[in-house]
Amino acid sequence: MKIKLPQGRAILGYHDFFGEEHQERLALLKGICRTNLIAEIGGLNYRLKPNNQLHNDYSIQTQDRELLYFSGEQREIYERYGKMAQKFSRRPGDFPLLFTRQTCLFALEEIINSDIAVIPEFSMKDSWENLLKYLLAVNTAITKIKREANEGELDQVGDLSEVKVDEAKPPLSLEDISVKTLVLNELNVSSNQLYVPYRAYKLLQFLTLHQDIGPITKDYLTAQYQMNFERFVFEIMSLYMGNNPDGKNNVKSSGLGLPIDTTFIYYPKEDSQKLFETFSQVYPNTEYEKLLSIRKYPFYNSGESFLLTDNTILLEKSYSQFINDFWFDKVKPIKDENNNAVFNIKRYRSIIGEFFESYLKSIVNHIIANTKHFKVKCFDELVMQIEGQQNELTDIYIRYVDKVFLAEAKSTGIYDKEKYSGELNEFYKESREKFFDSFGMKQIVRAITLLPDHVNNIDPGFPKKGTIKIFPALVVNEKALQTPLMAHIFNKRFQELIAPLDLGKYKVAPLSLIHISDMENMEEHLCENPNMLWKILEHHTRHDVFMPPFYNSLNVLQIKPNYKKPLPLYIELIEKFGTKEARKVVES
């Protein structure tokens, strides 16, 4: 049979144009100034996703414009490469990509970690085609995703749009494809400009008030950035949204006068100098796909200005990357008087887990604020006695008449070693079973099995007759789990586990894999209309063959954040640290 899967658009590489791979990519950049390279590629990356857009712009108009730009606006080069690229269009309306966020980030990481020199008074006039060839060579490097299967290989990001799947003997393993394309696909997952820093504010507030780690958090922010957590979040927001207001610093190209957005170029004020200096170091790295340097240090110091490599990475510096940096830079090195580690990774993750649960509970409470007809309990409220032992039914329990939403919350992340392995066995680390269980799989299945005999302990009004519809879910913090195939893979594992169970009157829907950002996007809509929850879940779980990412269903239903919750916080921060102009930017 055929399964409709997410379509992947081909990324054209050096080998597509020249029939071979270029063995020495950096040799193509010989004689080109380091700062010019970072400025041109950083500028390209910003134009693909400026700060007023949520998603990357991969339209044919943008690809065409950038090809003209990176041809040095020379018509002969532009037409030559354009004609070759057109040969790879597979159907009307379909076109391959030359310029992507993945291309830019890999290239920036490689150049920043290279010994390419700064050349004073350099001009790009005669170097554009070599830079274009280099970007194509980078495309070849990032799309080396091949696997052997019964029907051959999956080339590049592949077109997964109608893969034939024989359930008895599948010619393609979707789990294998998902792992091999994970790194590329994660970079296509968007981060919300307002909710990520809002979540970061709540995280840092939680950490600074935490009994064990609070003083350490304050010391870290002071030592690293010379500011408290409120100012830190404000600065991240200001850097993301407040630079180059109204495009006053924008310029035009010297040839055809193409507009060039310079919002990625920063000239810091004195009170922000420490932040920029900290954010513009270099972390030595030869595994460029891991982006270790620009994830930790998203700016490049050109001497006269600071160039932003990626605005999404800048946002994540306040949340996911902060969690990583804080551990490695500050918490892990702390020793007691006997030179023993004060915190191990298990304890640190447990503290992050405490925050995640409290933050998720605040969202649930906000959702149900205007309803009296839902039975809702979270976390400690779901602890009950079973055979003399304390047991937690699940993390989130919501019931309305005969519909029940059960969810496990997990702040667990995937380590870089596994995430970037590209191999299924390495990705699953210890075992496939343990991988899924680390995100709550065993617990959500157990919760379903406990319902018949124990649900009345926490919900005395639970219906005694009739069919009960159960909507199971895992709510996660790991962004990689939003990539196109993960929801399907998790549901497949869930179906394996519930297949042998006698579920009686319980009709169990497919498993929903929900990211914390999905909860943020839904919460205002559900606060206004709590019954929308069941419409969303019914729509999402109607897919009985292939489960898409949860955000896909929200997009189809036009469920988008309205920012009622984070905006008051930002206005408060602006009143403390900002200007009237900054307030206008946020309010707009």
Side-chain angles (χ1 to χ4, degrees):
M1 67 177 181
K2 289 186 176 181
I3 293 178
K4 187 70 175 176
L5 298 179
Q7 268 191 323
R9 194 174 296 166
I11 299 175
L12 297 187
Y14 189 94
H15 65 292
D16 295 310
F17 286 85
F18 303 104
E20 61 182 7
E21 294 186 21
H22 200 286
Q23 300 303 314
E24 297 290 339
R25 285 189 304 274
L26 289 177
L28 291 165
L29 303 179
K30 185 177 180 180
I32 306 179
C33 174
R34 176 187 184 87
T35 298
N36 286 70
L37 289 169
I38 294 171
E40 294 299 348
I41 300 171
L44 166 64
N45 194 36
Y46 181 79
R47 293 192 296 274
L48 291 176
K49 198 195 82 63
N51 59 13
N52 61 353
Q53 287 183 192
L54 188 58
H55 304 288
N56 299 314
D57 177 6
Y58 291 154
S59 66
I60 191 168
Q61 293 83 2
T62 295
Q63 293 292 308
D64 184 68
R65 181 193 69 212
E66 295 301 339
L67 178 57
L68 178 59
Y69 182 83
F70 279 88
S71 297
E73 301 173 71
Q74 299 175 53
R75 184 64 58 177
E76 185 275 326
I77 297 175
Y78 163 73
E79 291 181 352
R80 175 158 41 93
Y81 281 83
K83 286 178 181 178
M84 287 192 283
Q86 287 176 1
K87 295 177 182 179
F88 293 90
S89 292
R90 295 168 291 191
R91 63 183 75 89
D94 172 71
F95 56 93
L97 300 178
L98 299 178
F99 307 101
T100 70
R101 181 182 180 224
Q102 295 95 319
T103 312
C104 296
L105 295 184
F106 186 103
L108 289 165
E109 183 77 19
E110 182 172 51
I111 292 167
I112 285 171
N113 274 279
S114 74
D115 59 0
I116 294 175
V118 174
I119 304 173
E121 306 298 325
F122 180 82
S123 169
M124 284 291 299
K125 182 180 178 182
D126 299 318
S127 301
W128 285 107
E129 186 169 9
N130 273 353
L131 175 53
L132 179 57
K133 287 180 178 180
Y134 168 75
L135 294 176
L136 293 174
V138 168
N139 282 349
T140 297
I142 66 173
T143 56
K144 275 188 177 179
I145 300 169
K146 298 185 178 183
R147 35 142 256 117
E148 294 181 358
N150 294 357
E151 295 186 354
E153 293 185 330
L154 171 72
D155 290 320
Q156 301 186 33
V157 288
D159 180 359
L160 308 180
S161 58
E162 286 185 339
V163 178
K164 295 179 180 179
V165 176
D166 179 347
E167 295 294 344
K169 186 180 179 182
L172 291 172
S173 163
L174 295 187
E175 290 185 44
D176 185 57
I177 293 172
S178 179
V179 170
K180 289 182 179 296
T181 59
L182 185 68
V183 176
L184 285 177
N185 285 332
E186 185 181 7
L187 292 176
N188 281 328
V189 178
S190 62
S191 294
N192 191 282
Q193 303 101 311
L194 291 183
Y195 262 112
V196 171
Y198 176 81
R199 194 188 322 142
Y201 181 95
K202 296 299 182 181
L203 167 67
L204 295 175
Q205 184 181 54
F206 177 89
L207 293 177
T208 55
L209 296 175
H210 194 276
Q211 181 178 353
D212 296 335
I213 211 166
I216 301 170
T217 308
K218 294 175 186 176
D219 289 347
Y220 177 71
L221 289 167
T222 301
Q224 287 287 97
Y225 309 113
Q226 295 179 352
M227 57 186 68
N228 63 16
F229 82 90
E230 291 182 302
R231 177 67 185 271
F232 177 71
V233 173
F234 167 78
E235 289 293 342
I236 294 289
M237 280 297 301
S238 179
L239 291 174
Y240 186 92
M241 301 181 68
N243 194 44
N244 190 26
D246 302 319
K248 64 181 182 181
N249 295 326
N250 291 351
V251 297
K252 291 186 177 181
S253 65
S254 58
L256 300 176
L258 298 177
I260 302 175
D261 193 329
T262 61
T263 305
F264 70 100
I265 303 174
Y266 291 72
Y267 302 91
K269 297 177 181 178
E270 187 174 342
D271 61 351
S272 299
Q273 193 70 28
K274 174 65 174 176
L275 185 72
F276 276 92
E277 289 173 358
T278 302
F279 276 5
S280 61
Q281 300 174 52
V282 176
Y283 188 90
N285 174 36
T286 56
E287 298 176 284
Y288 307 123
E289 71 280 0
K290 293 185 177 181
L291 309 178
L292 296 179
S293 189
I294 61 177
R295 278 162 55 193
K296 189 170 181 64
Y297 306 120
F299 282 93
Y300 169 76
N301 187 349
S302 73
E304 298 177 352
S305 62
F306 291 82
L307 310 178
L308 178 61
T309 57
D310 187 81
N311 53 21
T312 299
I313 287 177
L314 174 64
L315 278 184
E316 294 293 351
K317 276 292 290 184
S318 66
Y319 185 68
S320 59
Q321 189 62 34
F322 180 89
I323 293 172
N324 184 79
D325 292 344
F326 186 39
W327 165 250
F328 285 105
D329 294 345
K330 184 68 176 179
V331 179
K332 185 180 180 181
I334 298 175
K335 307 289 184 183
D336 62 18
E337 61 274 10
N338 298 317
N339 204 36
N340 295 319
V342 174
F343 291 89
N344 58 30
I345 187 63
K346 184 177 180 180
R347 174 59 181 140
Y348 183 67
R349 282 192 160 191
S350 134
I351 293 171
I352 301 302
E354 290 172 31
F355 159 74
F356 189 70
E357 291 184 0
S358 68
Y359 183 71
L360 182 56
K361 186 174 182 179
S362 72
I363 292 177
V364 174
N365 289 339
H366 186 61
I367 287 171
I368 64 167
N370 297 322
T371 180
K372 298 179 180 178
H373 305 293
F374 282 26
K375 183 69 174 180
V376 180
K377 291 195 174 183
C378 298
F379 302 106
D380 292 346
E381 299 170 328
L382 290 164
V383 174
M384 57 187 174
Q385 293 286 325
I386 299 178
E387 296 179 355
Q389 299 291 323
Q390 278 198 339
N391 283 265
E392 186 182 70
L393 175 64
T394 189
D395 287 333
I396 299 172
Y397 175 93
I398 301 176
R399 181 179 65 80
Y400 176 67
V401 191
D402 58 355
K403 300 182 182 72
V404 179
F405 175 71
L406 298 176
E408 286 292 321
K410 292 296 176 181
S411 61
T412 309
I414 303 173
Y415 289 115
D416 279 358
K417 182 179 179 182
E418 286 75 43
K419 183 183 291 186
Y420 292 93
S421 68
E423 298 297 332
L424 202 57
N425 290 338
E426 293 182 41
F427 181 75
Y428 284 147
K429 199 176 178 180
E430 297 179 10
S431 74
R432 180 174 181 264
E433 179 181 352
K434 287 183 179 180
F435 170 80
F436 288 108
D437 290 347
S438 70
F439 290 100
M441 186 68 73
K442 181 186 291 184
Q443 290 167 286
I444 195 66
V445 173
R446 181 175 180 271
I448 294 169
T449 63
L450 288 175
L451 280 179
D453 296 328
H454 302 286
V455 67
N456 291 108
N457 292 335
I458 53 99
D459 183 6
F462 194 85
K464 293 180 171 59
K465 297 181 181 179
T467 301
I468 306 296
K469 183 70 175 285
I470 307 294
F471 294 95
L474 302 178
V475 182
V476 297
N477 196 39
E478 172 58 68
K479 192 174 181 180
L481 298 187
Q482 291 184 281
T483 54
L485 300 180
M486 279 296 178
H488 176 76
I489 289 167
F490 269 74
N491 181 54
K492 179 184 175 184
R493 174 59 180 160
F494 176 73
Q495 298 302 326
E496 293 170 3
L497 294 174
I498 67 167
L501 302 180
D502 181 6
L503 299 173
K505 68 176 183 178
Y506 297 98
K507 183 180 179 182
V508 180
L511 178 75
S512 295
L513 187 63
I514 304 175
H515 190 261
I516 190 64
S517 61
D518 298 321
M519 296 295 295
E520 292 165 342
N521 292 343
M522 288 191 294
E523 65 173 321
E524 290 296 344
H525 296 270
L526 297 184
C527 180
E528 294 173 4
N529 180 12
N531 281 314
M532 176 68 74
L533 173 66
W534 312 111
K535 179 180 179 179
I536 293 170
L537 293 172
E538 289 281 7
H539 174 86
H540 182 64
T541 58
R542 79 192 191 283
H543 304 278
D544 57 353
V545 177
F546 179 80
M547 286 289 289
F550 198 82
Y551 64 76
N552 181 274
S553 294
L554 296 183
N555 290 341
V556 170
L557 294 171
Q558 295 293 302
I559 305 294
K560 298 178 181 179
N562 58 21
Y563 306 118
K564 287 183 179 179
K565 205 170 178 182
L567 271 176
L569 171 63
Y570 295 136
I571 292 173
E572 177 186 331
L573 292 178
I574 288 168
E575 289 173 349
K576 281 186 179 182
F577 307 113
T579 62
K580 291 181 180 179
E581 289 75 16
R583 180 167 184 165
K584 288 179 182 178
V585 170
V586 173
E587 289 178 337
S588 66

